[in-house]
Amino acid sequence: MLEKKHKGRHLKEWYAKNRRELPWRGSKDPYRVWLSEVILQQTRIDQGLDYYHSFIREFPDVEKLAQASEQKVLKLWEGLGYYSRARNLHKASKVVLEQYNAVFPTSSEELSKLPGIGPYTAAAIASICFDEKVLAVDGNIIRVVSRLFGIWGQRGQRSFTDKIESEALNLYFDPPGDLNQALMDFGSMVCTPKNPDCPRCPFREDCYSLEHNLIDQLPEKREKKASRKRYLYYLVRETEDVFTIQQRGDGDIWAKLFEFPHVERDEPKSTREVLEEIGFQGEEMLEETGFIKHTLSHQEIFANFVILKPSSFHFDKIGFSETRGDYSRKDMIDLPFPRLITNFLEERYSLYGRSK
Ligand code: SF4
């Protein structure tokens, strides 16, 4: 049996041999570490890398990011989802520029006061860039520590997080930034959510959940919230060169992104019925895609793109939007859209050449 105090050494040795080579690794630049952490939350590394490189190319430092327009930031973020992260990234860069003179604060406590920087990201930046001894508790660390030491509890409960942090000390090695990155890599390469590679794990002789056949039970799963279903009927005015589009407001999904005018229903209805409810005749419809399902974290969107005769366009019954306007195909290229819309634009018009 391995002694607990030896576990840090095993993790350190594993990390030395297996660490992922990533462009921000080895850097102590808080801007790059912060950017990578925000982009990689809920994103695969291979997909996230493209976004990371685009951001660094366009905004090589926090000052350039702060000086960019929000629309440009959202455009670069397009397709990644969780758009509030991009807006917060932009807001935080402005705070760093204006209140800290473009120099990041160095403690996790100060960092976590910036917009969108939670305890995990603050701890990751502070440990990697400034050697603060703080654990960056994310899903990877929770999974590894709860399986290895047999810790039960629900994520989000303070007592559970305290136990995770206390047991993780058994894995401690210096410097703290390497410890956090080792746990992130180990959790995504070996102790994965499904089918962990236990036969090649350096802790296989001393893992609580392997010994007790509890790998599928640890960490405990969170109860899933019921998903809200929304039915969107997008009204597409198709002409040679011009589309009518508008910008979404705040306080809902896809805030500040662009889309076609639409009506929304809580349950599916026939397209003809919906069109008549908003003052169109059924025969004004040229075509429709039928519902395309798009899943977000707590919502299921069913979008039907309804192509209407250009001459029949009138929006009296779907309300006024001051952002609504006619855009040429050329002008649309620079606007940020949800992926649902870019997929449609690409598929039907080959308009948007960056399918993801
Ligand atoms: S033995 Fe398996 S479950 Fe235990 S820490 Fe290693 S990979 Fe994870």
Side-chain angles (χ1 to χ4, degrees):
M1 289 273 281
L2 296 171
E3 292 297 320
K4 277 186 175 178
K5 62 179 189 276
H6 291 153
K7 286 184 176 164
R9 181 164 58 77
H10 283 276
L11 185 63
K12 188 175 185 174
E13 284 168 7
W14 177 88
Y15 185 59
K17 281 190 207 136
N18 300 287
R19 57 181 272 158
R20 289 178 295 195
E21 291 310 323
L22 298 167
W24 53 88
R25 284 267 162 95
S27 158
K28 290 208 169 229
D29 177 351
Y31 174 64
R32 287 176 183 237
V33 172
W34 169 53
L35 195 57
S36 69
E37 290 296 339
V38 177
I39 287 175
L40 288 180
Q41 282 167 34
Q42 319 239 1
T43 309
R44 290 192 327 269
I45 285 245
D46 55 340
Q47 188 196 24
L49 275 175
D50 288 345
Y51 283 92
Y52 174 80
H53 288 305
S54 308
F55 265 81
I56 290 293
R57 242 189 334 270
E58 201 68 43
F59 314 122
D61 53 43
V62 70
E63 201 167 342
K64 293 277 181 322
L65 177 60
Q67 287 160 350
S69 69
E70 185 182 73
Q71 189 165 307
K72 185 150 193 188
V73 175
L74 287 171
K75 183 68 191 173
L76 270 192
W77 196 267
E78 193 178 60
L80 254 186
Y82 303 96
Y83 292 90
S84 59
R85 288 187 192 153
R87 285 189 294 276
N88 278 330
L89 194 72
H90 191 223
K91 275 188 210 152
S93 69
K94 285 174 182 285
V95 176
V96 173
L97 179 62
E98 286 157 19
Q99 292 180 22
Y100 294 90
N101 205 16
V103 179
F104 275 80
T106 57
S107 71
S108 56
E109 195 185 337
E110 277 295 304
L111 284 161
S112 61
K113 292 178 188 161
L114 295 172
I117 299 197
Y120 164 78
T121 308
I125 301 169
S127 64
I128 294 169
C129 305
F130 308 114
D131 288 334
E132 184 177 322
K133 292 191 176 175
V134 58
L135 197 67
V137 181
D138 74 340
N140 283 317
I141 293 187
I142 288 176
R143 188 168 58 255
V144 172
V145 176
S146 66
R147 282 178 177 168
L148 195 49
F149 299 105
I151 307 200
W152 299 87
Q154 287 283 329
R155 225 179 138 167
Q157 288 172 345
R158 189 64 242 176
S159 58
F160 174 67
T161 313
D162 287 347
K163 275 193 253 168
I164 293 284
E165 288 184 6
S166 139
E167 288 293 350
L169 288 178
N170 292 306
L171 298 167
Y172 192 83
F173 68 86
D174 270 328
D178 278 5
L179 167 71
N180 281 323
Q181 292 178 97
L183 282 165
M184 289 170 203
D185 282 6
F186 185 74
S188 50
M189 293 162 75
V190 181
C191 196
T192 48
K194 287 187 186 148
N195 305 318
D197 193 2
C198 303
R200 289 199 291 164
C201 173
F203 304 117
R204 65 188 172 279
E205 300 294 324
D206 194 30
C207 173
Y208 177 90
S209 56
L210 183 63
E211 189 183 340
H212 296 88
N213 201 19
L214 289 168
I215 289 168
D216 291 339
Q217 271 88 63
L218 284 169
E220 281 184 64
K221 312 257 177 316
R222 274 196 282 199
E223 279 183 26
K224 273 199 172 171
K225 278 195 204 160
S227 205
R228 175 181 167 202
K229 291 186 170 53
R230 301 171 72 169
Y231 298 86
L232 305 184
Y233 297 78
Y234 281 117
L235 306 174
V236 184
R237 173 187 176 217
E238 187 173 65
T239 68
E240 282 292 297
D241 189 46
V242 173
F243 294 87
T244 301
I245 54 175
Q246 62 192 30
Q247 191 174 27
R248 289 183 71 89
D250 286 319
D252 196 1
I253 55 169
W254 303 326
K256 301 288 188 208
L257 301 195
F258 286 77
E259 64 181 2
F260 299 103
H262 71 276
V263 281
E264 178 170 347
R265 297 289 179 263
D266 293 334
E267 51 189 38
K269 287 184 159 189
S270 81
T271 310
R272 178 175 281 269
E273 194 182 344
V274 172
L275 285 178
E276 286 175 3
E277 282 169 6
I278 55 171
F280 288 92
Q281 303 299 316
E283 51 276 15
E284 291 175 290
M285 177 173 76
L286 294 172
E287 241 181 285
E288 63 182 317
T289 58
F291 283 121
I292 297 168
K293 187 176 169 188
H294 187 80
T295 306
L296 302 173
S297 49
H298 300 303
Q299 300 190 20
E300 285 178 1
I301 308 295
F302 296 87
N304 186 6
F305 292 86
V306 183
I307 319 296
L308 294 163
K309 288 182 186 168
S311 58
S312 69
F313 239 62
H314 47 95
F315 295 105
D316 309 354
K317 295 211 177 170
I318 64 167
F320 170 75
S321 164
E322 61 185 20
T323 62
R324 191 175 296 152
D326 291 341
Y327 287 78
S328 69
R329 294 183 183 217
K330 191 168 149 283
D331 290 341
M332 282 170 66
I333 294 291
D334 291 330
L335 301 179
F337 292 98
R339 188 192 301 206
L340 175 70
I341 307 274
T342 56
N343 286 349
F344 168 76
L345 289 170
E346 176 58 15
E347 203 155 295
R348 187 169 177 92
Y349 305 107
S350 304
L351 180 80
Y352 187 79
R354 196 170 56 132
S355 293
K356 294 194 175 91

